[in-house]
Amino acid sequence: ELGNLTSLTTLYLSGNQLTAVPAELGNLTSLTELSLHGNQLTAVPAELGRLQPGVLRLDGNRLPPEIMAAYEDGGEELTRFLQLLQRDPVSVTEAKLVLVGEGKVGKTSLREAMGGNAWVDGRDTTHGVEITQIPVTHNESKITLNVWDFGGQEWYKPTHQLYFTAPAVYLLLWVPRLGVQQCAVVEWLKTIRARAGDGAKVHVVATHANEPHPAIIDQARMYHDFDGMIVNFHHIDSRNPADVDKLKAEIAATVNKLPHVRRQYPRAWHDLRESIREESLAYLPYPAFLKRADRAGLSATSAKSLARNAHALGNWIFFDEQSQADLVIFKPDWLSKAISHVIADQHTRDNHGLITLERMAQIWTAPDRPDDERYPPHLHAAFRHLMAGFDIAYRVATRAGEPEMMLIAQLVGSLPPAHLDDAWQGYEPDLPQQSQICLIRDRVSRRADARDGLMYRLTVRFHTLSLGVKDHHRSVHWQHGLLLDNGLHGRALLTMEGNHITVTVRAAYPHNLL
């Protein structure tokens, strides 16, 4: 009956733990304020688009990102979005499923089996990331899984962080014959939590059940250490349809509980996404994407919200916080391969990570690569920006006459450079010195935790304090350490051993830099 109170001007419903509000509130066109903040809403009735702009207060709810993006951009944008939704809604039931694990543990074979494809012995290794759509059913409700299958080779791992998101379901695969440690099961769980947060849900899947090796794994400890993340443990044979169907059913049940797995899209969103899919576009510069969205009837805010949603659902890649990259990427494997081609380049590896921009361009435009793995020059600056933004590489300072270069930090040498002693021991030996040890612990279990890749990320993150900030030849860094210089504020030596980093500062007042 609330919908009959057409003269009502204010309605306060905040802080009541409401999980839904009636569509009839859209009849209250005299409202100047409808306060719904601090509830448990997961949707807003499209009929509320009939209210005056700026009337709704929605903070503190668990609303889907497309609603919150429109709300944060102002009342006019939210009203426009709800009106689009009311005019012609499209139901979208999709979720992201990510397959991770070391190389040759059976990720691609399982993905193919889940898609109903025949078993193939000696299947080719996945390069970069491959994305397919697989339908599953839960309680007669159909859900489309956007399945991401990652290459497990070492040079692909730095690109994984670009794609780990939550909410999503992860399948972590390992082989009992190789064991938990060799398959890096715990390390993968830590990586998922670090990148995607506790909202990620993980099924730990032992493959090759046809082999005579029991799946021995400390389930109790992993449940404890990764509380709330791990859904279940499985041991399957991907050649056995019964095993695969049972796993798919459990995945569907997990996906069904993800927030916002069922959404309402405006028809214009759906049509734009489908038209891009049909054209098989790899990417669009962001301004071109906005123009295309405008022709489809979307505002700039609505277009950005669509890109964010497609990213979360596993359709596109859009790093709006990395705005200088200026791309909406519709084929994520296309980006992953671009970066991994550089990391896997043998000349760059032999050169301890130093690579000229000219060589990067040659790698990205190599004529012997397939058409979809050649990247035109106007994209190269965006790729380099993304590599810097995700702590993979940075631009180094070169001497006069030298070509422009970047450093791929994970490829630096394993031994300290020869000039470390001069740069550190010979630096102002009479100044006070102070050290601290940073013990790296898992934030849940509090156990010691050696974080793979931490030092190379610090090398990129602190490159503005490198001794080579004006000349890269003076840089001091290696796989397990780096030397930093902060001018009159002293120098710092960082060395990593096992699960701790020792930070030593020499300066007039070492505590400041420390």
Side-chain angles (χ1 to χ4, degrees), residues 350-473:
D350 293 341
N351 206 29
H352 301 307
L354 281 170
I355 180 171
T356 65
L357 302 195
E358 181 182 7
R359 180 161 184 84
M360 293 178 91
Q362 291 170 351
I363 291 171
W364 285 329
T365 58
D368 58 339
R369 295 198 189 282
D371 289 346
D372 61 348
E373 292 184 32
R374 289 204 300 270
Y375 308 91
H378 68 269
L379 296 174
H380 298 179
F383 288 173
R384 293 193 299 266
H385 176 77
L386 285 171
M387 292 172 74
F390 287 95
D391 298 333
I392 296 172
Y394 68 91
R395 182 82 69 93
V396 301
T398 54
R399 294 174 178 172
E402 283 187 326
E404 294 180 291
M405 287 190 281
M406 293 191 78
L407 177 74
I408 312 297
Q410 77 174 99
L411 304 182
V412 300
S414 59
L415 298 176
H419 59 288
L420 170 62
D421 283 345
D422 287 343
W424 177 243
Q425 301 298 345
Y427 172 75
E428 303 291 349
D430 296 329
L431 285 178
Q433 183 170 300
Q434 189 173 345
S435 297
Q436 284 189 0
I437 295 176
C438 301
L439 182 62
I440 312 299
R441 295 186 183 276
D442 182 89
R443 65 180 175 83
V444 177
S445 69
R446 308 306 298 161
R447 296 190 183 96
D449 181 13
R451 297 301 296 153
D452 184 44
L454 176 58
M455 186 53 70
Y456 84 71
R457 297 195 72 195
L458 292 177
T459 300
V460 178
R461 193 69 64 88
F462 287 133
H463 78 271
T464 55
L465 295 178
S466 167
L467 265 71
V469 71
K470 294 183 178 179
D471 176 4
H472 76 89
H473 295 277

Side-chain angles (χ1 to χ4, degrees), residues 16 72 152 162 266 270 272 274 335 402 412 498:
N16 282 293
E72 289 165 3
L162 279 66
H270 177 268
L272 177 58
E274 289 304 304
L335 172 63
E402 283 187 326
V412 300

Side-chain angles (χ1 to χ4, degrees), residues 103-117:
K104 300 186 182 302
V105 295
K107 297 187 296 294
T108 302
S109 294
L110 176 57
R111 170 173 60 83
E112 291 292 309
M114 290 174 61
N117 298 315

Side-chain angles (χ1 to χ4, degrees), residues 272 275-276 279 281 284 287-297:
L272 177 58
S275 70
I276 288 172
E279 289 181 43
L281 290 172
L284 277 176
F289 171 70
L290 290 180
K291 287 182 180 178
R292 182 161 182 155
D294 181 65
R295 291 196 300 269

Side-chain angles (χ1 to χ4, degrees), residues 97 134 226 244 290 327 331 354 390 423 425 448 469:
L97 177 69
I134 295 177
F226 300 94
V244 174
L290 290 180
L327 295 174
K331 292 184 177 180
L354 281 170
F390 287 95
Q425 301 298 345
V469 71

